[in-house]
Amino acid sequence: MNSRNLTKQWTMAFIACVLLLASLAIAPLRYVAASEGGYVIGTGRVVPNTDPMQSSWLLTSHGVSEYVYQQDAEGNLYSRFIKTLEKVDSNTWQAELNEGVFFADGSEVDAEALAASMNEIQEKNELAQATAGRLIFTADDSYQMTIATERETNVMMSILGEWTNVVFKQAGDEYIYTGPYQVESLRPQEEIVLTPNTYYPEANQRQQVTLKAFQDETAMRLAFENDELDMIYPISPDLKEQLEAAGEVTKSIDAGYQYFMTVNMTQGPLADSALREALDLGLNREEYLQALKGGYEATSLFAHYFDFNGDIAKRFDPETAAKILDDAGWTLNEDGLREKDGETLALNLATLSFRKDLVLLSTVIASQLEGLGITCQVEALDNAEDLDATSGYDLLLYSQHTAPTGEPSFFLNQFYRTNGPKNQFGYSNPEVDQLLDELGAAKESAEVNQLAKDIQEIILAEDRPVLLVIDPQWHAAVSEELADYSIYCGDYYIVNDQLGLDTYGE
């Protein structure tokens, strides 16, 4: 072989190696999905559709979509998409993306794709603007992205972990996500069948998952006891006790959710601050702990384990509550009802039908108000998102995870900033708005905690646009195979990427 032919062969080999390496660099790693077995989960809600503007939270709870940052079982935020995130100036952030993260169709989540996803959410979902105003995402190159904010913030990681901010792309009428599972079939609000996303790590260890919605807890219990379900969550404390007595495996977690009543203080009798104070004193919160057979007395708007949760004692003082009502002109008539100018004091209380705890608590609250001479009409709604001050309700008994990313500003801005996207009953206090601006600019955790507590003090001890109810625990029952499966952060990650990984193949 002469030197010219040898050189030619080495050159061809070198080119082949380069082409092979290049193809490996751009091709997504695809995992082979497990094909046998599967888990069936009974729960309260199944997603109505796969639209990220309407169903981002449930899709992530089902394991289909992912937030840009998510919480792990230890409460830490992490991102599969962003490698580094740095603040450049008051209203600008720079993100470096990880390479090799893919949508379920095998296309890469590069800076252009991530920016397009986030910008569409900013345009179509005002809830995404709660913490720092409008955000604009710009792809600088394949893996560099600039984020511009309308208001200053020091919690960009947390903002990108808010439940509105799921990573998605659209192909025709289909939405494509990045989570550990993808949708195989969907019967809206009834059943969703999921198969492993073969472009998500460890897909070869995952199995099919089916989530079924149950409105009747007895039916869910029977299905679980007949081994038709591998997990049921959340369940009532009564069902938890019954299943424990039957030898089943149960779990209890600090939900992170808070139960509270939003007050219509712009219309109706509760526009009078004296009546709001009377109600606050007339609620016996110890009875809520008894009704739910556990949980914690709420001392402010966040779960008890957060450093930014306030410590505002709520005393039960029905005598003082009665005197405040008397002084406000609402005196007891011969039927034992509060009456003023020939009109009895009647309140309309709305709650959520799919939260069984709330339905139970609404009857306890109505009974307590009747003890004060106040008539209370309760209505359980399928959805309360469209309620406002003109809807005819005086109180909304609601549940909300108030710190799903481990910091307070998202919830406080949503519910208590003037014209905030979840400020349904029109609360407004310029001092609170100013403190929220300061909270956005605060850098040190001690300052953040104190500002959050100051805001809660004004809200809960002075204005009372909300009345505390309980800091609850939630419960689940699982098969022995899932005994070690971690449920955390309320129902944000019912199906997470650890489902079945410890047990598959055993």
Side-chain angles (χ1 to χ4, degrees):
M1 183 180 294
N2 62 41
S3 60
R4 184 176 180 182
N5 285 340
L6 185 60
T7 301
K8 184 177 180 180
Q9 288 183 7
W10 275 107
T11 302
M12 294 297 291
F14 176 74
I15 293 173
C17 288
V18 169
L19 292 174
L20 176 60
L21 291 171
S23 66
L24 290 174
I26 60 174
L29 179 60
R30 187 169 191 174
Y31 299 83
V32 177
S35 58
E36 58 186 70
Y39 298 108
V40 185
I41 298 171
T43 187
R45 300 178 76 187
V46 161
V47 71
N49 55 52
T50 59
D51 186 339
M53 304 306 158
Q54 302 176 33
S55 304
S56 58
W57 168 71
L58 270 175
L59 286 167
T60 307
S61 174
H62 295 349
V64 174
S65 58
E66 295 176 286
Y67 310 126
V68 181
Y69 279 86
Q70 301 215 140
Q71 192 179 119
D72 64 19
E74 284 71 46
N76 305 306
L77 288 179
Y78 71 95
S79 178
R80 291 204 312 126
F81 308 98
I82 292 181
K83 180 188 296 184
T84 62
L85 183 63
E86 295 182 0
K87 187 174 183 178
V88 177
D89 59 37
S90 296
N91 296 87
T92 309
W93 290 73
Q94 189 71 39
E96 180 184 2
L97 274 63
N98 286 316
E99 300 182 29
V101 181
F102 300 93
F103 290 101
D105 67 351
S107 59
E108 189 173 24
V109 185
D110 58 14
E112 183 177 357
L114 185 58
S117 175
M118 293 298 105
N119 283 331
E120 186 168 347
I121 290 170
Q122 285 289 317
E123 179 183 350
K124 296 180 178 179
N125 191 344
E126 64 174 346
L127 290 168
Q129 302 177 22
T131 304
R134 180 70 181 265
L135 275 56
I136 299 174
F137 297 79
T138 304
D140 302 317
D141 61 30
S142 295
Y143 302 105
Q144 294 286 335
M145 184 172 71
T146 299
I147 308 168
T149 68
E150 182 178 349
R151 294 193 300 267
E152 183 175 8
T153 181
N154 289 303
V155 291
M156 182 56 70
M157 189 184 295
S158 174
I159 290 174
L160 295 177
E162 293 170 358
W163 58 266
T164 54
N165 297 325
V166 292
V167 181
F168 76 99
K169 62 181 287 189
Q170 189 168 5
D173 295 332
E174 183 182 3
Y175 295 102
I176 301 168
Y177 296 97
T178 62
Y181 295 90
Q182 56 187 334
V183 179
E184 175 73 17
S185 64
L186 171 65
R187 295 208 314 267
Q189 299 179 297
E190 295 182 8
E191 179 181 293
I192 187 169
V193 179
L194 309 171
T195 56
N197 169 9
T198 54
Y199 294 98
Y200 193 99
E202 301 178 296
N204 57 333
Q205 297 183 49
R206 295 194 178 84
Q207 303 177 51
Q208 179 177 287
V209 175
T210 301
L211 289 105
K212 295 184 176 182
F214 285 83
Q215 301 305 315
D216 181 350
E217 193 171 72
T218 300
M220 186 162 67
R221 171 187 176 171
L222 291 173
F224 181 74
E225 291 180 325
N226 289 331
D227 296 327
E228 298 168 13
L229 301 173
D230 298 283
M231 182 171 81
I232 51 178
Y233 179 75
I235 60 175
S236 68
D238 286 340
L239 179 54
K240 172 183 178 286
E241 284 187 351
Q242 294 164 13
L243 291 173
E244 278 182 343
E248 302 286 358
V249 180
T250 65
K251 295 170 176 281
S252 296
I253 68 165
D254 293 341
Y257 274 72
Q258 299 298 289
Y259 296 166
F260 52 83
M261 285 193 288
T262 300
V263 180
N264 188 346
M265 55 187 292
T266 57
Q267 297 189 26
L270 298 182
D272 184 343
S273 61
L275 267 65
R276 299 197 298 275
E277 182 181 6
L279 259 62
D280 208 4
L281 291 166
L283 298 177
N284 183 354
R285 293 167 173 91
E286 182 65 30
E287 292 184 354
Y288 309 149
L289 298 174
Q290 295 170 6
L292 297 185
K293 301 181 178 179
Y296 307 89
E297 183 178 344
T299 60
S300 201
L301 292 167
F302 299 95
H304 61 281
Y305 47 79
F306 286 120
D307 293 337
F308 47 79
N309 184 48
D311 186 13
I312 302 167
K314 289 295 178 184
R315 60 191 173 100
F316 173 52
D317 187 348
E319 290 77 18
T320 301
K323 183 177 186 309
I324 292 172
L325 291 169
D326 288 338
D327 292 345
W330 292 98
T331 56
L332 290 172
N333 64 19
E334 59 185 13
D335 296 323
L337 301 176
R338 296 281 168 182
E339 183 177 314
K340 181 179 182 180
D341 300 328
E343 181 182 355
T344 57
L345 182 52
L347 300 177
N348 292 317
L349 167 63
T351 192
L352 299 170
S353 60
F354 60 89
R355 295 286 191 206
K356 302 307 179 189
D357 284 358
L358 297 187
V359 175
L360 172 60
L361 290 174
S362 68
T363 62
V364 179
I365 291 168
S367 176
Q368 293 176 352
L369 295 181
E370 288 171 3
L372 292 172
I374 301 170
T375 301
C376 183
Q377 182 70 37
V378 176
E379 187 172 1
L381 308 175
D382 293 336
N383 190 320
E385 299 305 311
D386 296 330
L387 292 190
D388 59 24
T390 66
S391 300
Y393 296 102
D394 304 290
L395 297 162
L396 171 61
L397 177 58
Y398 200 66
S399 65
Q400 178 88 13
H401 197 310
T402 52
T405 61
E407 72 87 38
S409 61
F410 184 44
F411 170 75
L412 294 174
N413 275 287
Q414 281 189 95
F415 280 74
Y416 305 113
R417 181 181 286 278
T418 300
N419 298 321
K422 293 283 285 185
N423 187 353
Q424 294 171 286
F425 288 162
Y427 172 67
S428 179
N429 183 329
E431 184 180 2
V432 169
D433 291 343
Q434 176 62 37
L435 289 171
L436 287 170
D437 288 343
E438 294 176 21
L439 180 63
K443 295 180 180 178
E444 302 298 327
S445 59
E447 185 182 9
V448 169
N449 294 343
Q450 188 56 56
L451 284 165
K453 290 179 178 179
D454 291 346
I455 293 168
Q456 292 170 79
E457 181 74 21
I458 296 171
I459 290 171
L460 293 170
E462 298 178 19
D463 295 342
R464 296 188 175 85
V466 58
L467 303 175
L468 298 179
V469 176
I470 189 173
D471 178 359
Q473 287 185 309
W474 284 5
H475 315 289
V478 297
S479 64
E480 291 186 2
E481 187 178 355
L482 294 183
D484 294 329
Y485 181 58
S486 293
I487 307 167
Y488 61 93
C489 200
D491 51 4
Y492 267 61
Y493 308 104
I494 291 179
V495 177
N496 61 57
D497 65 357
Q498 296 303 301
L499 179 63
L501 291 195
D502 293 336
T503 57
Y504 181 73
E506 291 181 354

